[in-house]
Amino acid sequence: MTISIMYCPITVDDVDASIAFYRDALGLSLLNDVASDGHRWVTLGSADWSGPALVLSDPAAGRSPEDGDALHRLVAKGSGPGPYVFFADDLDAAFERARAAGAEVLQEPIAQPWGTRDCAFRDPAGNHVRINQARQAAG
């Protein structure tokens, strides 16, 4: 049996601004955009649907108004779910693309003691986003 993650939900306060971040800063493709009852669920990922995808939605989508308000407050102050960790084969290029797209930089690329290089940003809603690049094996 094989099992893998298919969707990762990310709560955002402005779906359109978040589409621009994940599409333009991180290079993901818009796969689906579904509206229902005044909310939107937007899926972004690999253009060929070959891997996990993100699903962006507002805090109240599928939740009670009270839960949506509580989640919105957590995300806005950077205490929501996450960090959301991505992998790039060229961390420096990914970092420059995200910075050029206006992403809020939290950490420039650095080598971590646990064996990876990474950098960090906040998306427009305040979610913590990290990009990792595996360290090259010693030859």
Side-chain angles (χ1 to χ4, degrees):
M1 178 177 90
T2 301
I3 191 165
S4 61
I5 191 166
M6 184 169 178
Y7 297 111
C8 178
I10 299 182
T11 301
V12 299
D13 56 354
D14 183 333
V15 173
D16 289 320
S18 295
I19 290 170
F21 172 79
Y22 289 99
R23 182 192 60 217
D24 302 339
L26 298 187
L28 301 178
S29 296
L30 181 65
L31 303 174
N32 206 3
D33 190 338
V34 176
S36 178
D37 292 328
H39 303 285
R40 287 169 67 198
W41 289 264
V42 176
T43 307
L44 295 109
S46 299
D48 62 1
W49 289 80
S50 63
L54 308 178
V55 179
L56 307 177
S57 64
D58 67 85
R63 296 176 184 88
S64 71
E66 296 81 18
D67 288 349
D69 289 343
L71 183 56
H72 183 261
R73 286 192 302 275
L74 287 171
V75 170
K77 69 179 186 176
S79 296
Y84 298 99
V85 182
F86 295 83
F87 177 82
D89 57 0
D90 185 341
L91 179 66
D92 297 310
F95 175 80
E96 290 305 327
R97 178 181 180 148
R99 181 166 50 186
E104 178 188 349
V105 176
L106 297 177
Q107 173 202 302
E108 294 194 10
I110 62 170
Q112 299 289 1
W114 53 86
T116 190
R117 287 182 70 235
D118 72 352
C119 62
F121 298 93
R122 288 217 187 278
D123 75 3
N127 290 297
H128 185 176
V129 174
R130 299 191 77 80
I131 304 173
N132 286 352
Q133 178 177 344
R135 189 169 46 174
Q136 298 279 332

